Amino acid sequence: MSVHGAIWDAAHWPDRWTVRHVAETGSTNADLLADLDAGLVGERSVLVTDHQTAGRGRLDRRWDAPPGTNLLVSIALAPVPSVPVEATHRVGLAALSAVREVRPDARVALKWPNDLLLDHRKLAGILAQRSSTRDAVVVGLGLNVAWAPDGAARLGSSVRPGDVLARLLAHVDELDGPIGPRYRSELSTIGQRVRLELPAGAAVEGTAIDVDAAGRLVVRSDDGVVSAFEVGDVVHVRPGENRV
């Protein structure tokens, strides 16, 4: 166990969660997914680390932080929801509730498809990967606690990553049944003017008007066409500012 290991004291984890801590790894998602595929762990297994050397976010972007500063964790969930993106939505909603508990003053919201914002700046990102052998998914979360890159937000050094994780897991347990309405209600993207950058390099600008039952973002473009998008990188365009 690393010098930071004491903050991951297993005594405070919610019931039926198995949390394993490692000082350093390449990627908690890759490690937990490999263990899940091999049948070495089951659902409700969690892998948390002080430092990732090969962590990544959406679109293969690198996700890194100084050792021991942030919450870097992956969570195995089963079964895969009938709408698979609900796995990331569930973890996002649980993280939102956890942040509100440790920082009651925080103005936090979700951003489509899988970010948490604090005061309109990125606080956390979420990435899900499906098991190739089981009806399960691994959801990874990188949440800025004591450190954040330029332009991003953090909770502050008075917050313990372990406390955030314990609360997050408890809130995952509370999210039974359909979560679509709650996800939409917490989504700051709806009603925003957005620029949606698509994987092929194209972009659409308009107003985000909804998220449909499949988790796709519904945008009314500037020429009045309404389309639903399964993937893309969203920029919230606010008056007087460039992007979030």
Side-chain angles (χ1 to χ4, degrees), residues 67-201:
T69 57
N70 290 343
L71 177 57
L72 306 171
V73 63
S74 293
I75 303 166
L77 300 174
V80 177
S82 57
V83 179
V85 294
E86 285 192 357
T88 56
H89 294 174
R90 192 174 298 274
V91 172
L93 286 167
L96 197 71
S97 295
V99 168
R100 286 172 174 160
E101 289 181 352
V102 299
R103 278 279 309 274
D105 62 319
R107 296 186 303 168
V108 288
L110 298 176
K111 175 188 169 188
W112 188 91
N114 55 11
D115 288 347
L116 271 70
L117 303 181
L118 170 62
D119 292 330
H120 305 293
R121 294 178 296 154
K122 184 168 180 173
L123 177 68
I126 301 171
L127 179 69
Q129 295 175 271
R130 192 164 182 165
S131 171
S132 62
T133 63
R134 304 172 63 178
D135 183 19
V137 62
V138 168
V139 182
L141 170 76
L143 190 148
N144 301 328
V145 179
W147 178 89
D150 290 343
R154 65 187 181 95
L155 294 181
S157 56
S158 63
V159 176
R160 289 160 47 104
D163 291 341
V164 180
L165 178 57
R167 293 168 188 266
L168 185 156
L169 296 176
H171 284 297
V172 169
D173 287 338
E174 296 169 359
L175 288 168
D176 290 330
I179 61 170
R182 181 172 173 188
Y183 174 75
R184 285 191 293 274
S185 73
E186 297 284 9
L187 195 62
S188 63
T189 306
I190 295 177
Q192 290 268 8
R193 178 167 176 79
V194 299
R195 181 167 64 258
L196 183 63
E197 299 173 351
L198 304 175

